[in-house]
Amino acid sequence: MPGPATVIPDTPPVPRQGEVLTEGALEFIAALHRRFTGRRDELLALRARRRQEIARSGTLDFLPETAHIRADPGWRVAPAPAALEDRRVEITGPTDRKMTVNALNSGARVWLADFEDALAPTWHNVISGQLSLLDARERRIDFTSPEGKHYALRPEPELATVVVRPRGWHLDERHLTVDGRQVPGVLVDFGLYFFHHARPLAERDRGPYFYLPKTESHLEARLWNEVFRFAQDQLGLPHGTVRATVLIETITAAFEMEEILYELREHASGLNAGRWDYLFSLIKNFRDAGPRFVLPDRNAVTMTAPFMRAYTELLVRTCHKRGAHAIGGMAAFIPSRKDPEAGRIALEKVRADKDREAGDGFDGSWVAHPDLVPVAAARFDAVLGERPHQKHRLREEVAVTAAQLLAVDALEARPTLAGLRNAVQVGLRYLAAWLGGQGAVAIFHLMEDAATAEISRSQIWQWVHTGVVFEGGEKATTELVRALAADELAAVRRETGDRAFAAGRWQQAHDLLLKIALDEEYVEFLTLPAYELLD
């Protein structure tokens, strides 16, 4: 008889891990692995073949073989459950105990409990994150910090609804095996949460709900739908108990929004404009397509850029056409309590961003910090009033073409030397934190995660390999990047002092950044080589 998933020998145990890694949970993960990992492998291979086709053709288009789905006016996604009817503000963050309490108490309607871009997937983080969610559901997560500050949950009706984001399909969990093979991390994150929470949450009409990251095609959405059906059957729950919001954060998924909703229609609750990973995906897929697809500095690519407007307007149009929620992008600014002027500027940018989203028809949006919840809520309150959403705004005037989605060259901004330096700084500082076990990091007044680090290293790669020449005449070269990285490493040593520098992962982060940003072969995700360096 097939056995359960097994923790590999010599894995340092996490306190209380037995409460999560029960025999039933490990058997459930094994069943998921045996049923779906083979298809996962096929779809990852399909991603690679599609990338090769994009490199050959230098373009993308809507799929002719699924035109009948886009043309059929009759289908809709399942109605939203009460807990996901009003999603005007969602807060994102990792699943450590402090963030769990702060996010649930934040006043946001939804908390994206993140096992993906905001979490460095150490074994301790993965398991302790699951324990945080278990303790939160049982209301036993109150704690006092070392500084003496007490954290406690508010009454149940005031708490945000939990929506869990597991890891993407590409990353395995090296500490857990089935039949001698590592289990995809996504099946670990999904499986543990679903096994322990699905029934009690369903009984309270509070879940289980998920965000699906890094989706690249409707075939991957179909796989998720099969996972949901199988998992619900295993626990005796009706199909449609699960609800999933898909992040449209890859350029290929942008061409398949309707098909993705169609495949998940009994479980779908919306789409999200994952702006940072979307830019990363654009660079990754068109990185060797010449100057036409060279993006300027990350901070110069605003949501008012024509190709980003095409992406977000198509998302709203698609969602409302099919009865789904359209959720806007991340406000990554961190309010500064030490620098009032910087804080004021950040808040003004957040207000403008959320005004634009609410005005465009989005039903809600993301923030990364509890202080931004009331700011974003006020902008959506002004448009929604007492309505839970604005799905009635069908945006039928929107008609987006493939050329508009790919019009990167319509931008007037160009790469700058300052932008290259910033990419090196952010990449180095984020990777050092990630290797140290921290996945969401405040850098230069922005909350950075793996998605923004991916943009940084990808822009370095693209600019060097395209031979970008900056305004002053200096050219992006490997030698220039290495010099900037050496300067930044020296600056960090001065900031931290020799002892703290030696105790950190700075040199390792420096070496990893140069490898993934300068190697001839572009690695698909920085987390793949970085994961091998995690403790």
PDB file of all heavy atoms in Angstrom, residues 115-149:
ATOM      1  N   PHE A 115       2.564  32.176   1.369  1.00  0.00           N
ATOM      2  CA  PHE A 115       3.640  31.191   1.396  1.00  0.00           C
ATOM      3  C   PHE A 115       4.496  31.294   0.147  1.00  0.00           C
ATOM      4  O   PHE A 115       5.308  30.415  -0.119  1.00  0.00           O
ATOM      5  CB  PHE A 115       3.060  29.772   1.500  1.00  0.00           C
ATOM      6  CG  PHE A 115       2.504  29.441   2.850  1.00  0.00           C
ATOM      7  CD1 PHE A 115       1.172  29.679   3.140  1.00  0.00           C
ATOM      8  CD2 PHE A 115       3.304  28.903   3.837  1.00  0.00           C
ATOM      9  CE1 PHE A 115       0.641  29.381   4.388  1.00  0.00           C
ATOM     10  CE2 PHE A 115       2.796  28.603   5.098  1.00  0.00           C
ATOM     11  CZ  PHE A 115       1.457  28.841   5.376  1.00  0.00           C
ATOM     12  N   GLU A 116       4.315  32.379  -0.632  1.00  0.00           N
ATOM     13  CA  GLU A 116       5.027  32.495  -1.894  1.00  0.00           C
ATOM     14  C   GLU A 116       6.020  33.650  -1.860  1.00  0.00           C
ATOM     15  O   GLU A 116       7.015  33.606  -1.136  1.00  0.00           O
ATOM     16  CB  GLU A 116       4.025  32.630  -3.050  1.00  0.00           C
ATOM     17  CG  GLU A 116       4.619  32.226  -4.382  1.00  0.00           C
ATOM     18  CD  GLU A 116       4.345  33.238  -5.472  1.00  0.00           C
ATOM     19  OE1 GLU A 116       3.716  34.270  -5.232  1.00  0.00           O
ATOM     20  OE2 GLU A 116       4.806  32.990  -6.587  1.00  0.00           O
ATOM     21  N   ASP A 117       5.763  34.735  -2.594  1.00  0.00           N
ATOM     22  CA  ASP A 117       6.780  35.765  -2.796  1.00  0.00           C
ATOM     23  C   ASP A 117       7.193  36.489  -1.521  1.00  0.00           C
ATOM     24  O   ASP A 117       8.265  37.079  -1.473  1.00  0.00           O
ATOM     25  CB  ASP A 117       6.291  36.796  -3.818  1.00  0.00           C
ATOM     26  CG  ASP A 117       6.534  36.342  -5.249  1.00  0.00           C
ATOM     27  OD1 ASP A 117       7.227  35.321  -5.433  1.00  0.00           O
ATOM     28  OD2 ASP A 117       6.033  36.995  -6.171  1.00  0.00           O
ATOM     29  N   ALA A 118       6.366  36.500  -0.489  1.00  0.00           N
ATOM     30  CA  ALA A 118       6.719  37.202   0.748  1.00  0.00           C
ATOM     31  C   ALA A 118       7.274  36.268   1.813  1.00  0.00           C
ATOM     32  O   ALA A 118       7.468  36.687   2.953  1.00  0.00           O
ATOM     33  CB  ALA A 118       5.492  37.948   1.300  1.00  0.00           C
ATOM     34  N   LEU A 119       7.531  35.017   1.439  1.00  0.00           N
ATOM     35  CA  LEU A 119       8.019  34.049   2.418  1.00  0.00           C
ATOM     36  C   LEU A 119       9.249  33.343   1.879  1.00  0.00           C
ATOM     37  O   LEU A 119       9.196  32.734   0.807  1.00  0.00           O
ATOM     38  CB  LEU A 119       6.941  33.003   2.728  1.00  0.00           C
ATOM     39  CG  LEU A 119       7.278  32.050   3.878  1.00  0.00           C
ATOM     40  CD1 LEU A 119       6.995  32.731   5.215  1.00  0.00           C
ATOM     41  CD2 LEU A 119       6.470  30.765   3.780  1.00  0.00           C
ATOM     42  N   ALA A 120      10.354  33.425   2.595  1.00  0.00           N
ATOM     43  CA  ALA A 120      11.511  32.600   2.271  1.00  0.00           C
ATOM     44  C   ALA A 120      11.201  31.196   2.779  1.00  0.00           C
ATOM     45  O   ALA A 120      10.998  31.002   3.981  1.00  0.00           O
ATOM     46  CB  ALA A 120      12.767  33.148   2.946  1.00  0.00           C
ATOM     47  N   PRO A 121      11.136  30.189   1.888  1.00  0.00           N
ATOM     48  CA  PRO A 121      10.588  28.886   2.281  1.00  0.00           C
ATOM     49  C   PRO A 121      11.562  27.987   3.031  1.00  0.00           C
ATOM     50  O   PRO A 121      11.840  26.852   2.619  1.00  0.00           O
ATOM     51  CB  PRO A 121      10.166  28.280   0.939  1.00  0.00           C
ATOM     52  CG  PRO A 121      11.138  28.849  -0.041  1.00  0.00           C
ATOM     53  CD  PRO A 121      11.415  30.249   0.439  1.00  0.00           C
ATOM     54  N   THR A 122      12.090  28.472   4.145  1.00  0.00           N
ATOM     55  CA  THR A 122      12.797  27.573   5.049  1.00  0.00           C
ATOM     56  C   THR A 122      11.784  26.585   5.616  1.00  0.00           C
ATOM     57  O   THR A 122      10.579  26.868   5.666  1.00  0.00           O
ATOM     58  CB  THR A 122      13.461  28.329   6.201  1.00  0.00           C
ATOM     59  OG1 THR A 122      12.435  28.938   7.008  1.00  0.00           O
ATOM     60  CG2 THR A 122      14.393  29.429   5.690  1.00  0.00           C
ATOM     61  N   TRP A 123      12.251  25.448   6.044  1.00  0.00           N
ATOM     62  CA  TRP A 123      11.349  24.462   6.653  1.00  0.00           C
ATOM     63  C   TRP A 123      10.652  25.069   7.863  1.00  0.00           C
ATOM     64  O   TRP A 123       9.450  24.871   8.076  1.00  0.00           O
ATOM     65  CB  TRP A 123      12.143  23.219   7.037  1.00  0.00           C
ATOM     66  CG  TRP A 123      11.337  22.107   7.633  1.00  0.00           C
ATOM     67  CD1 TRP A 123      11.466  21.571   8.880  1.00  0.00           C
ATOM     68  CD2 TRP A 123      10.285  21.367   6.992  1.00  0.00           C
ATOM     69  NE1 TRP A 123      10.569  20.552   9.066  1.00  0.00           N
ATOM     70  CE2 TRP A 123       9.827  20.399   7.920  1.00  0.00           C
ATOM     71  CE3 TRP A 123       9.675  21.431   5.741  1.00  0.00           C
ATOM     72  CZ2 TRP A 123       8.792  19.498   7.634  1.00  0.00           C
ATOM     73  CZ3 TRP A 123       8.647  20.547   5.444  1.00  0.00           C
ATOM     74  CH2 TRP A 123       8.215  19.603   6.381  1.00  0.00           C
ATOM     75  N   HIS A 124      11.403  25.840   8.648  1.00  0.00           N
ATOM     76  CA  HIS A 124      10.803  26.484   9.819  1.00  0.00           C
ATOM     77  C   HIS A 124       9.689  27.434   9.402  1.00  0.00           C
ATOM     78  O   HIS A 124       8.601  27.447  10.000  1.00  0.00           O
ATOM     79  CB  HIS A 124      11.868  27.244  10.612  1.00  0.00           C
ATOM     80  CG  HIS A 124      11.322  27.929  11.833  1.00  0.00           C
ATOM     81  ND1 HIS A 124      10.751  29.196  11.795  1.00  0.00           N
ATOM     82  CD2 HIS A 124      11.222  27.515  13.132  1.00  0.00           C
ATOM     83  CE1 HIS A 124      10.350  29.524  13.003  1.00  0.00           C
ATOM     84  NE2 HIS A 124      10.613  28.540  13.827  1.00  0.00           N
ATOM     85  N   ASN A 125       9.922  28.257   8.369  1.00  0.00           N
ATOM     86  CA  ASN A 125       8.902  29.209   7.940  1.00  0.00           C
ATOM     87  C   ASN A 125       7.666  28.519   7.397  1.00  0.00           C
ATOM     88  O   ASN A 125       6.526  28.944   7.647  1.00  0.00           O
ATOM     89  CB  ASN A 125       9.466  30.150   6.880  1.00  0.00           C
ATOM     90  CG  ASN A 125      10.397  31.192   7.456  1.00  0.00           C
ATOM     91  OD1 ASN A 125      10.486  31.368   8.664  1.00  0.00           O
ATOM     92  ND2 ASN A 125      11.115  31.888   6.588  1.00  0.00           N
ATOM     93  N   VAL A 126       7.870  27.452   6.629  1.00  0.00           N
ATOM     94  CA  VAL A 126       6.740  26.739   6.043  1.00  0.00           C
ATOM     95  C   VAL A 126       5.856  26.129   7.130  1.00  0.00           C
ATOM     96  O   VAL A 126       4.625  26.279   7.116  1.00  0.00           O
ATOM     97  CB  VAL A 126       7.238  25.650   5.072  1.00  0.00           C
ATOM     98  CG1 VAL A 126       6.115  24.702   4.669  1.00  0.00           C
ATOM     99  CG2 VAL A 126       7.858  26.294   3.831  1.00  0.00           C
ATOM    100  N   ILE A 127       6.471  25.443   8.075  1.00  0.00           N
ATOM    101  CA  ILE A 127       5.690  24.757   9.108  1.00  0.00           C
ATOM    102  C   ILE A 127       5.146  25.732  10.141  1.00  0.00           C
ATOM    103  O   ILE A 127       3.973  25.648  10.545  1.00  0.00           O
ATOM    104  CB  ILE A 127       6.544  23.668   9.789  1.00  0.00           C
ATOM    105  CG1 ILE A 127       6.970  22.617   8.765  1.00  0.00           C
ATOM    106  CG2 ILE A 127       5.768  23.023  10.932  1.00  0.00           C
ATOM    107  CD1 ILE A 127       5.829  21.948   8.026  1.00  0.00           C
ATOM    108  N   SER A 128       5.956  26.692  10.577  1.00  0.00           N
ATOM    109  CA  SER A 128       5.466  27.649  11.570  1.00  0.00           C
ATOM    110  C   SER A 128       4.369  28.523  10.981  1.00  0.00           C
ATOM    111  O   SER A 128       3.449  28.960  11.695  1.00  0.00           O
ATOM    112  CB  SER A 128       6.612  28.510  12.114  1.00  0.00           C
ATOM    113  OG  SER A 128       7.184  29.302  11.084  1.00  0.00           O
ATOM    114  N   GLY A 129       4.425  28.781   9.660  1.00  0.00           N
ATOM    115  CA  GLY A 129       3.343  29.519   9.020  1.00  0.00           C
ATOM    116  C   GLY A 129       2.030  28.761   9.079  1.00  0.00           C
ATOM    117  O   GLY A 129       0.966  29.337   9.333  1.00  0.00           O
ATOM    118  N   GLN A 130       2.090  27.461   8.838  1.00  0.00           N
ATOM    119  CA  GLN A 130       0.878  26.640   8.954  1.00  0.00           C
ATOM    120  C   GLN A 130       0.361  26.624  10.399  1.00  0.00           C
ATOM    121  O   GLN A 130      -0.853  26.669  10.643  1.00  0.00           O
ATOM    122  CB  GLN A 130       1.164  25.214   8.485  1.00  0.00           C
ATOM    123  CG  GLN A 130       1.466  25.082   7.004  1.00  0.00           C
ATOM    124  CD  GLN A 130       0.229  25.165   6.118  1.00  0.00           C
ATOM    125  OE1 GLN A 130      -0.905  25.117   6.596  1.00  0.00           O
ATOM    126  NE2 GLN A 130       0.437  25.285   4.821  1.00  0.00           N
ATOM    127  N   LEU A 131       1.275  26.593  11.364  1.00  0.00           N
ATOM    128  CA  LEU A 131       0.865  26.643  12.771  1.00  0.00           C
ATOM    129  C   LEU A 131       0.209  27.973  13.112  1.00  0.00           C
ATOM    130  O   LEU A 131      -0.766  28.023  13.876  1.00  0.00           O
ATOM    131  CB  LEU A 131       2.080  26.403  13.675  1.00  0.00           C
ATOM    132  CG  LEU A 131       2.564  24.955  13.769  1.00  0.00           C
ATOM    133  CD1 LEU A 131       3.953  24.897  14.389  1.00  0.00           C
ATOM    134  CD2 LEU A 131       1.574  24.112  14.576  1.00  0.00           C
ATOM    135  N   SER A 132       0.725  29.074  12.537  1.00  0.00           N
ATOM    136  CA  SER A 132       0.105  30.378  12.771  1.00  0.00           C
ATOM    137  C   SER A 132      -1.350  30.383  12.304  1.00  0.00           C
ATOM    138  O   SER A 132      -2.244  30.894  12.998  1.00  0.00           O
ATOM    139  CB  SER A 132       0.881  31.483  12.034  1.00  0.00           C
ATOM    140  OG  SER A 132       2.162  31.670  12.587  1.00  0.00           O
ATOM    141  N   LEU A 133      -1.593  29.818  11.125  1.00  0.00           N
ATOM    142  CA  LEU A 133      -2.955  29.792  10.600  1.00  0.00           C
ATOM    143  C   LEU A 133      -3.850  28.888  11.438  1.00  0.00           C
ATOM    144  O   LEU A 133      -5.030  29.197  11.666  1.00  0.00           O
ATOM    145  CB  LEU A 133      -2.938  29.326   9.147  1.00  0.00           C
ATOM    146  CG  LEU A 133      -2.210  30.256   8.174  1.00  0.00           C
ATOM    147  CD1 LEU A 133      -2.184  29.661   6.771  1.00  0.00           C
ATOM    148  CD2 LEU A 133      -2.869  31.633   8.135  1.00  0.00           C
ATOM    149  N   LEU A 134      -3.300  27.795  11.901  1.00  0.00           N
ATOM    150  CA  LEU A 134      -4.070  26.899  12.770  1.00  0.00           C
ATOM    151  C   LEU A 134      -4.413  27.584  14.083  1.00  0.00           C
ATOM    152  O   LEU A 134      -5.568  27.554  14.553  1.00  0.00           O
ATOM    153  CB  LEU A 134      -3.249  25.631  13.017  1.00  0.00           C
ATOM    154  CG  LEU A 134      -3.983  24.382  13.506  1.00  0.00           C
ATOM    155  CD1 LEU A 134      -5.033  23.929  12.500  1.00  0.00           C
ATOM    156  CD2 LEU A 134      -2.978  23.260  13.766  1.00  0.00           C
ATOM    157  N   ASP A 135      -3.428  28.239  14.679  1.00  0.00           N
ATOM    158  CA  ASP A 135      -3.666  28.938  15.941  1.00  0.00           C
ATOM    159  C   ASP A 135      -4.622  30.104  15.769  1.00  0.00           C
ATOM    160  O   ASP A 135      -5.436  30.396  16.657  1.00  0.00           O
ATOM    161  CB  ASP A 135      -2.342  29.438  16.520  1.00  0.00           C
ATOM    162  CG  ASP A 135      -1.487  28.315  17.090  1.00  0.00           C
ATOM    163  OD1 ASP A 135      -2.012  27.197  17.260  1.00  0.00           O
ATOM    164  OD2 ASP A 135      -0.292  28.546  17.351  1.00  0.00           O
ATOM    165  N   ALA A 136      -4.530  30.802  14.632  1.00  0.00           N
ATOM    166  CA  ALA A 136      -5.437  31.927  14.395  1.00  0.00           C
ATOM    167  C   ALA A 136      -6.874  31.450  14.286  1.00  0.00           C
ATOM    168  O   ALA A 136      -7.795  32.067  14.835  1.00  0.00           O
ATOM    169  CB  ALA A 136      -5.027  32.668  13.117  1.00  0.00           C
ATOM    170  N   ARG A 137      -7.088  30.345  13.583  1.00  0.00           N
ATOM    171  CA  ARG A 137      -8.452  29.837  13.460  1.00  0.00           C
ATOM    172  C   ARG A 137      -9.019  29.425  14.813  1.00  0.00           C
ATOM    173  O   ARG A 137     -10.217  29.581  15.086  1.00  0.00           O
ATOM    174  CB  ARG A 137      -8.485  28.633  12.505  1.00  0.00           C
ATOM    175  CG  ARG A 137      -9.868  28.342  11.946  1.00  0.00           C
ATOM    176  CD  ARG A 137      -9.952  26.991  11.288  1.00  0.00           C
ATOM    177  NE  ARG A 137     -10.012  25.923  12.274  1.00  0.00           N
ATOM    178  CZ  ARG A 137      -9.364  24.782  12.194  1.00  0.00           C
ATOM    179  NH1 ARG A 137      -8.544  24.539  11.185  1.00  0.00           N
ATOM    180  NH2 ARG A 137      -9.500  23.864  13.141  1.00  0.00           N
ATOM    181  N   GLU A 138      -8.154  28.908  15.666  1.00  0.00           N
ATOM    182  CA  GLU A 138      -8.591  28.478  17.005  1.00  0.00           C
ATOM    183  C   GLU A 138      -8.493  29.602  18.041  1.00  0.00           C
ATOM    184  O   GLU A 138      -8.734  29.368  19.224  1.00  0.00           O
ATOM    185  CB  GLU A 138      -7.743  27.292  17.462  1.00  0.00           C
ATOM    186  CG  GLU A 138      -7.875  26.054  16.582  1.00  0.00           C
ATOM    187  CD  GLU A 138      -9.286  25.512  16.562  1.00  0.00           C
ATOM    188  OE1 GLU A 138      -9.973  25.588  17.596  1.00  0.00           O
ATOM    189  OE2 GLU A 138      -9.715  25.009  15.494  1.00  0.00           O
ATOM    190  N   ARG A 139      -8.106  30.808  17.586  1.00  0.00           N
ATOM    191  CA  ARG A 139      -7.993  31.987  18.457  1.00  0.00           C
ATOM    192  C   ARG A 139      -7.051  31.745  19.639  1.00  0.00           C
ATOM    193  O   ARG A 139      -7.336  32.091  20.780  1.00  0.00           O
ATOM    194  CB  ARG A 139      -9.366  32.446  18.957  1.00  0.00           C
ATOM    195  CG  ARG A 139     -10.299  32.901  17.847  1.00  0.00           C
ATOM    196  CD  ARG A 139     -11.529  33.609  18.413  1.00  0.00           C
ATOM    197  NE  ARG A 139     -11.146  34.835  19.092  1.00  0.00           N
ATOM    198  CZ  ARG A 139     -10.978  36.020  18.489  1.00  0.00           C
ATOM    199  NH1 ARG A 139     -11.142  36.138  17.189  1.00  0.00           N
ATOM    200  NH2 ARG A 139     -10.625  37.077  19.197  1.00  0.00           N
ATOM    201  N   ARG A 140      -5.902  31.165  19.344  1.00  0.00           N
ATOM    202  CA  ARG A 140      -4.902  30.944  20.389  1.00  0.00           C
ATOM    203  C   ARG A 140      -3.545  31.507  19.971  1.00  0.00           C
ATOM    204  O   ARG A 140      -2.497  30.979  20.338  1.00  0.00           O
ATOM    205  CB  ARG A 140      -4.791  29.450  20.703  1.00  0.00           C
ATOM    206  CG  ARG A 140      -4.399  28.591  19.518  1.00  0.00           C
ATOM    207  CD  ARG A 140      -4.485  27.103  19.836  1.00  0.00           C
ATOM    208  NE  ARG A 140      -3.964  26.314  18.727  1.00  0.00           N
ATOM    209  CZ  ARG A 140      -4.321  25.069  18.449  1.00  0.00           C
ATOM    210  NH1 ARG A 140      -5.218  24.458  19.213  1.00  0.00           N
ATOM    211  NH2 ARG A 140      -3.791  24.420  17.440  1.00  0.00           N
ATOM    212  N   ILE A 141      -3.602  32.581  19.206  1.00  0.00           N
ATOM    213  CA  ILE A 141      -2.370  33.148  18.670  1.00  0.00           C
ATOM    214  C   ILE A 141      -1.933  34.400  19.433  1.00  0.00           C
ATOM    215  O   ILE A 141      -0.941  35.025  19.086  1.00  0.00           O
ATOM    216  CB  ILE A 141      -2.528  33.462  17.164  1.00  0.00           C
ATOM    217  CG1 ILE A 141      -1.139  33.570  16.496  1.00  0.00           C
ATOM    218  CG2 ILE A 141      -3.377  34.717  16.950  1.00  0.00           C
ATOM    219  CD1 ILE A 141      -1.193  33.595  14.987  1.00  0.00           C
ATOM    220  N   ASP A 142      -2.657  34.805  20.477  1.00  0.00           N
ATOM    221  CA  ASP A 142      -2.233  35.957  21.259  1.00  0.00           C
ATOM    222  C   ASP A 142      -0.809  35.733  21.782  1.00  0.00           C
ATOM    223  O   ASP A 142      -0.473  34.638  22.217  1.00  0.00           O
ATOM    224  CB  ASP A 142      -3.160  36.172  22.455  1.00  0.00           C
ATOM    225  CG  ASP A 142      -4.594  36.430  22.024  1.00  0.00           C
ATOM    226  OD1 ASP A 142      -4.871  36.343  20.817  1.00  0.00           O
ATOM    227  OD2 ASP A 142      -5.421  36.727  22.893  1.00  0.00           O
ATOM    228  N   PHE A 143       0.013  36.761  21.754  1.00  0.00           N
ATOM    229  CA  PHE A 143       1.360  36.620  22.273  1.00  0.00           C
ATOM    230  C   PHE A 143       1.924  37.980  22.628  1.00  0.00           C
ATOM    231  O   PHE A 143       1.413  39.017  22.217  1.00  0.00           O
ATOM    232  CB  PHE A 143       2.277  35.903  21.267  1.00  0.00           C
ATOM    233  CG  PHE A 143       2.694  36.745  20.085  1.00  0.00           C
ATOM    234  CD1 PHE A 143       3.951  37.331  20.039  1.00  0.00           C
ATOM    235  CD2 PHE A 143       1.823  36.942  19.030  1.00  0.00           C
ATOM    236  CE1 PHE A 143       4.333  38.099  18.944  1.00  0.00           C
ATOM    237  CE2 PHE A 143       2.206  37.702  17.930  1.00  0.00           C
ATOM    238  CZ  PHE A 143       3.458  38.284  17.894  1.00  0.00           C
ATOM    239  N   THR A 144       3.002  37.966  23.400  1.00  0.00           N
ATOM    240  CA  THR A 144       3.698  39.188  23.797  1.00  0.00           C
ATOM    241  C   THR A 144       5.090  39.164  23.196  1.00  0.00           C
ATOM    242  O   THR A 144       5.818  38.173  23.327  1.00  0.00           O
ATOM    243  CB  THR A 144       3.773  39.304  25.331  1.00  0.00           C
ATOM    244  OG1 THR A 144       2.442  39.303  25.868  1.00  0.00           O
ATOM    245  CG2 THR A 144       4.479  40.588  25.729  1.00  0.00           C
ATOM    246  N   SER A 145       5.466  40.248  22.535  1.00  0.00           N
ATOM    247  CA  SER A 145       6.771  40.322  21.884  1.00  0.00           C
ATOM    248  C   SER A 145       7.870  40.475  22.931  1.00  0.00           C
ATOM    249  O   SER A 145       7.602  40.803  24.100  1.00  0.00           O
ATOM    250  CB  SER A 145       6.805  41.516  20.929  1.00  0.00           C
ATOM    251  OG  SER A 145       6.851  42.724  21.669  1.00  0.00           O
ATOM    252  N   PRO A 146       9.129  40.241  22.543  1.00  0.00           N
ATOM    253  CA  PRO A 146      10.251  40.433  23.485  1.00  0.00           C
ATOM    254  C   PRO A 146      10.307  41.845  24.053  1.00  0.00           C
ATOM    255  O   PRO A 146      10.848  42.062  25.136  1.00  0.00           O
ATOM    256  CB  PRO A 146      11.484  40.133  22.616  1.00  0.00           C
ATOM    257  CG  PRO A 146      10.988  39.216  21.548  1.00  0.00           C
ATOM    258  CD  PRO A 146       9.589  39.675  21.263  1.00  0.00           C
ATOM    259  N   GLU A 147       9.751  42.819  23.283  1.00  0.00           N
ATOM    260  CA  GLU A 147       9.743  44.210  23.760  1.00  0.00           C
ATOM    261  C   GLU A 147       8.611  44.480  24.730  1.00  0.00           C
ATOM    262  O   GLU A 147       8.479  45.585  25.251  1.00  0.00           O
ATOM    263  CB  GLU A 147       9.634  45.165  22.573  1.00  0.00           C
ATOM    264  CG  GLU A 147      10.812  45.109  21.597  1.00  0.00           C
ATOM    265  CD  GLU A 147      10.742  43.906  20.671  1.00  0.00           C
ATOM    266  OE1 GLU A 147       9.620  43.416  20.435  1.00  0.00           O
ATOM    267  OE2 GLU A 147      11.811  43.465  20.203  1.00  0.00           O
ATOM    268  N   GLY A 148       7.742  43.478  24.956  1.00  0.00           N
ATOM    269  CA  GLY A 148       6.645  43.643  25.900  1.00  0.00           C
ATOM    270  C   GLY A 148       5.332  44.065  25.276  1.00  0.00           C
ATOM    271  O   GLY A 148       4.347  44.295  25.990  1.00  0.00           O
ATOM    272  N   LYS A 149       5.255  44.162  23.948  1.00  0.00           N
ATOM    273  CA  LYS A 149       4.018  44.554  23.287  1.00  0.00           C
ATOM    274  C   LYS A 149       3.127  43.340  23.108  1.00  0.00           C
ATOM    275  O   LYS A 149       3.561  42.301  22.617  1.00  0.00           O
ATOM    276  CB  LYS A 149       4.301  45.208  21.934  1.00  0.00           C
ATOM    277  CG  LYS A 149       3.052  45.775  21.267  1.00  0.00           C
ATOM    278  CD  LYS A 149       3.397  46.547  20.002  1.00  0.00           C
ATOM    279  CE  LYS A 149       2.134  47.129  19.381  1.00  0.00           C
ATOM    280  NZ  LYS A 149       2.434  47.899  18.134  1.00  0.00           N
TER     281      LYS A 149
END
